[in-house]
Amino acid sequence: MTVSQLCRACGFETANLAQDREATGVYCCDLLSLVMGRAPAGSAWFTVMGNLNAVAVASLADVACIVLCEGVPMDAPGLQKAREQGINVLRTPLPVFEAASQVKALL
C-alpha cells in the first residue's frame, strides 16, 4: 500500500508527500538511535519526534514515511529538510498504538 493510500484510508494529514513510496511495514519508536538501527526500510515510522533529527533518521533508515502522532507538528526546520530530502511526513491526532494498528491492519 502506498503512502498516499494510507493517508486516505486512515485519515492522516499530509505535511509533506514527496514521493508516493510503498509502505511495507510498521515501526513504532521515539528513541532515534534505535530507529536508525532497527526500523525496516520501507516501513511507516510512528513517533512523536517532529524535528530535524527525526528527518535525518528517516533518511538514514530509509523509511517510507514518518507518521507524527498525538497531534504533534513537524517543526519548521524539520519540514524544510523533509521537503529538501524527499521525506514523507504525515500527521494524526491518534496515539501511536492506535495509528500504527490502523496501518498494520491494512498491510
Side-chain angles (χ1 to χ4, degrees):
M1 178 169 274
T2 66
V3 172
S4 65
Q5 289 170 328
L6 287 178
C7 283
R8 285 191 300 276
C10 298
F12 297 156
E13 175 189 335
T14 303
N16 187 57
L17 186 59
Q19 48 183 319
D20 202 12
R21 292 186 58 183
E22 190 76 19
T24 56
V26 170
Y27 188 78
C28 304
C29 189
D30 293 323
L31 188 56
L32 300 180
S33 59
L34 285 179
V35 177
M36 282 190 299
R38 297 183 183 179
S43 61
W45 171 30
F46 292 81
T47 186
V48 294
M49 301 297 291
N51 58 36
L52 186 62
N53 292 334
V55 174
V57 168
S59 178
L60 288 170
D62 193 30
V63 296
C65 60
I66 301 171
V67 183
L68 295 172
C69 300
E70 303 278 357
V72 172
M74 177 65 72
D75 66 18
L79 191 54
Q80 179 61 34
K81 186 57 81 172
R83 289 180 178 135
E84 290 170 8
Q85 293 190 350
I87 304 295
N88 297 317
V89 180
L90 314 177
R91 292 186 61 218
T92 181
L94 295 172
V96 169
F97 179 79
E98 290 180 29
S101 294
Q102 278 187 347
V103 172
K104 183 65 176 170
L106 293 171
L107 296 180

